[in-house]
Amino acid sequence: MTAQTSAKRPPPAADIRPPAARRRARRPGFVTAALGLPVAFMAIVYAYPVGAMLLKSVTEPTAGFGNFTEAATDRTMWHVLWITVRMSAEVAVLTVLLGFPVAYFLARTSKRKARFLVLLVVIPFWTSILVRSFAWIVLLGDNGLVTKILEPLTGDGQGMLYSESAVIIAMTHILLPFPILIIKGTLDQIDASLPRAARSLGAGPVRAFAHVYLPLAVPAIVSSGMLVFVIALGFYVTPALVGGPKQSTIAVVIAEAVQVNFDWGMAATLATLLLILATALTMIVRRLTKVKGLVTL
Amino acid sequence: MTADLITPAPARPKPPPGRRRGKRSPATRAERALGWALRGLVALILAFLVIPILIVVLESFNSVDYLSFPLEGWSLTHYREFFADSAWVDATLLSARIALLAAAIATVVGTAAAWGLARSPARGKGLVFALMYSPLVIPIIVLAMSYYFTFADFRVIGHWQVIAVAYSVMGVPYVLVAVSSALQQFDSELENAARTLGASLPKTLLRITLPSLTSAISAGALFAFVIAFDEAVIILFVSGTGSVTLPRKLWDSVRYDLTPTLAVAGTILIAVCVGLFLLSELIKILRERRERR
Amino acid sequence: MSEQASAGVGAPVTDERPARPDPPAAAEDQVVFSGIHKWYGDALAVHDFNLAIRKGEFVTLLGPSGSGKTTSLRILAGLESATAGEVYLAGRAVTDDVPEKRNIGLVFQNYALFPHMTVAQNIAFPLKMRRMKKADAAREIDRVLTMTQLTEFRDRYPRQLSGGQQQRVALARAFVFDPSVLLMDEPLGALDRNLRDHMRLELKALQQRIGATVLYVTHDQDEALALSDRIGVMHRGVLQQTAPPHELYEAPVNSFVAKFLGKSICLPARRVEKGARTVLEVSGVDGRVLVEAGNDCSTADDAEFMIRPERLRISAERPDAADRNAARCTVAAHVYLGPQIEVHLRTAEGAELEAMVPAELRADFEVGSPHWLSWGPDDCRFLPRVD
């Protein structure tokens, strides 16, 4: 027996097909359980309640799309939607406008300084929304700090609590950490030498910023603005506490439907519409910006 | 848990350190002015972020029975009132109990799912991840309605254990993301090594994988705890009379009367959550130092 | 399928004992791969892999990356499942066993030391999993720590160790429980050159001391030559040839093996006559080239002529011996390598090849000077072409 037998090349893949069935089926077991049990848990404790709620929009009080037509023909509903969208948009624009300079500064300053300053952003982020709304009640109330500071300007001691401005200010405060952290995350990845390179090629600092930094940051700016918008759409605590009846958002109306009118069907319908809107917007943002994980640790 | 809680994933490797402090091109006068203007603006915005929270903490030490600023005087009167009032104390303890249970469940579920996702073939993984992750992006009022209806249907409104289970759902994505990213760093060859050395898969997970994930798991658990401790929307619908948590009690009180005692409640909420966060940051820094040595 | 079957591609050809599809008959066979195939989806990673390893033998799988050598090793360890075929360990089929049931020691390429355990705890791990008594385990650990000169590092963590020390820990951990076979996947790959040469010696000494059966995977031919009792050369998922190092070098069975192991000159050639000596027409060489019948390994008439550079003789005149192959050439360049010089030559027909000659003959090879190349019929081979 000599070498001629071993001289063959490996057969080209086209000649041989993999066996139709693996001889050994992969043992299910631990991996399946590790995935299956959490999925089962989430299905029962999460997907079921949400599904049941969605179902109620077409079954309560009677089967059919009556709730949806009722909501669509109700003028106040359209007004509520308009208020919600408008306030959310205002908050989104404000948070991005205020957030970008901070993010830019944090990304460019020394690591040590940034680490400390980021704490000033993250601590509010971790403070409960309820407490932060409460803080604005204190600040904007008739005896509040802001009211007192503004007294020479406004002329009276009237606080701006229960107004649209109050809601906007409080929500901007609550959602501001999102754009800061998201935009900073992107700016951190832009090589600092890029704007410098642009400058060495003759661009002034403003032009270098506008032509190099800004375009690279645009996806993060857009996605964080959209994210704030989506979160703001579903806000309940702040409009309910800081705003007045005129600032009723979708969430406030949903709560009222349940707590005041005991109209489960309408509450479910509005929640369904809100969920559809939020999901659609989130998907669009993802498509646009390819920002995948919102939260990475 | 890190400060860069929110970043567009995946994070690319950081550019070499020292780049920012490298040679700087000489600044013109206009540039310097711009720089100072930016600094001033940033300081103002950061003040806007922090001051309202400071105000709440300061108000809790006010000596009078109404909210006022500047403070009329310093005292611990309202802390004494808070801790003497069994309603406030019970609410605080209930919140802690619910948050602990919720964090425990979320940690187990999220960790198992993260490992399962990391070790299973690609098919269907995206869907599972979406299911586990979506509580993070679903509007909270929608979740609140869902739980309200289901709790009512099953007549479990006010049961704190059930509330904790519902809260755990909101903690799962945090644990999942934390542990998943740690698993990406984890060398799966270590699991293979343990297997060839005679450890069964359960033993391998217990002795090799989990010890390497402790910091990520605890970070995720912390998130889950804080979320549940702070939760103030779902509870408005499902607390009934039996489960008045600290946020629920604060909410009820804010609508009737504004007193420094509320500031005490707010301060406790801040202290627990921010305290836990700072603790985790501290642990992280200490760990980094130790590893550098 | 018949074509592949008759080809018997993977059989350890120059080995006297052909692979057997049935459980190993010979008691001394510690490891037997029998007809192993591995598919990843539509890609074939290992094709009909057959190999038997005797007890105490050191066998190396040598091949470029992606040749299937690591996959084969991991199939033996149970970390990959074979699509078809059986693996036998000490006479027992283990193909369906989970890794922890196989009693195999594996040294991973990146060592895979447990970072949260000290050196001693790492080494204790397999003993603990086997529920060895504490006192016995302590004795075993001390023994291997001494053998691997790690005693003073027993309480360090892996990250506090140098690469060479980590490598020794990985080794100690893999053999402390007396596995039936010790597998090593590029264990020296992460070390720098000097350390690698040193660890090579240590590894061999240790293997001989504990009498371990070793299956070693590497892409480094020096490592394979220095360590192995037998080397299996793998290429594109196929075991090309399995033989002791010298035999592999002297008598490669195809042009891939010839080129992969050591320097070789391969030129396209055509067989014009077969008999006691094969007569070839070699591209770039004038006239006919004679090859001993035993050195003719090709079934096809079109194949490769192969010779090792050190087998070529260079002379000023055409050699007298009638059966000596010769070709007229000129010196194109020479490279000084210390003990030897590598002379680059161009034949009259334009083939470029290099010859190794003792360094003291350097003065004879002025660039451009005409010479004669010659070699005997037993110095060269006629090999099937495998790229």
Side-chain angles (χ1 to χ4, degrees), chain A residues 51-133:
Chain A
M53 186 278 291
L54 295 176
L55 201 64
K56 278 203 164 56
S57 69
V58 288
T59 56
E60 288 275 336
T62 53
F65 288 92
N67 289 320
F68 287 91
T69 44
E70 191 186 327
T73 50
D74 188 343
R75 282 187 147 233
T76 54
M77 287 300 173
W78 286 103
H79 185 66
V80 166
L81 180 65
W82 163 239
I83 296 269
T84 311
V85 168
R86 192 186 64 202
M87 290 205 301
S88 301
E90 284 167 1
V91 170
V93 171
L94 272 173
T95 53
V96 168
L97 282 181
L98 294 177
F100 183 77
V102 179
Y104 177 76
F105 183 78
L106 290 178
R108 307 272 329 243
T109 192
S110 72
K111 225 182 160 183
R112 185 180 284 260
K113 221 192 250 174
R115 190 161 196 166
F116 168 73
L117 291 177
V118 163
L119 276 188
L120 295 186
V121 181
V122 176
I123 287 175
F125 184 71
W126 277 111
T127 304
S128 110
I129 292 175
L130 178 59
V131 173
R132 281 187 283 170
S133 302

Side-chain angles (χ1 to χ4, degrees), chain C residues 135-193:
Chain C
D136 295 344
R139 204 168 339 105
E140 285 301 300
I141 293 164
D142 285 340
R143 186 176 64 91
V144 298
L145 282 172
T146 316
M147 284 177 89
T148 49
Q149 299 149 42
L150 285 166
T151 310
E152 56 182 309
F153 304 109
R154 58 177 306 146
D155 294 322
R156 298 254 188 109
Y157 284 92
R159 63 171 180 276
Q160 297 167 314
L161 301 177
S162 72
Q165 289 160 350
Q166 291 185 20
Q167 208 276 331
R168 288 207 289 262
V169 178
L171 190 61
R173 189 181 66 176
F175 77 76
V176 65
F177 56 93
D178 196 19
S180 46
V181 59
L182 192 52
L183 311 183
M184 302 192 208
D185 187 3
E186 307 251 5
L188 307 180
L191 304 178
D192 64 48
R193 189 77 233 176

Side-chain angles (χ1 to χ4, degrees), chain B residues 223-252:
Chain B
F223 274 94
F225 181 92
V226 168
I227 302 275
F229 195 78
D230 267 358
E231 206 291 317
V233 179
I234 296 175
I235 198 67
L236 301 179
F237 301 90
V238 300
S239 70
T241 48
S243 292
V244 178
T245 61
L246 188 55
R248 169 82 217 220
K249 175 105 174 93
L250 182 58
W251 166 274
D252 289 344

Side-chain angles (χ1 to χ4, degrees), chain A residues 1-13 15-19 21-24 26-27, chain C residues 4 7 9 13 39 41-42 47 82-83 85-86 95-96 98 236 238 240 253-254 297 299 384 386:
Chain A
M1 160 132 199
T2 54
Q4 62 258 57
T5 47
S6 68
K8 279 281 161 18
R9 290 164 205 237
D15 289 3
I16 312 179
R17 294 274 100 205
R22 298 270 154 105
R23 207 189 45 184
R24 280 170 292 277
R26 276 195 82 85
R27 255 168 241 125
Chain C
Q4 285 84 35
V9 203
V13 190
W39 292 89
D42 277 352
H47 177 71
T83 315
E86 290 289 342
T95 322
D96 292 323
V98 289
R236 293 190 184 168
V238 175
Q240 306 286 338
V253 297
N254 62 41
C297 306
T299 44
V386 172

Side-chain angles (χ1 to χ4, degrees), chain A residues 46 107 125 148 192 295-297, chain B residues 5 7 19-20 69 134 177-178:
Chain A
Y46 171 60
F125 184 71
K148 279 186 186 160
V295 176
T296 56
L297 295 156
Chain B
L5 165 65
T7 49
R19 67 194 168 88
R20 295 194 185 94
F69 204 89
S134 62
V177 170

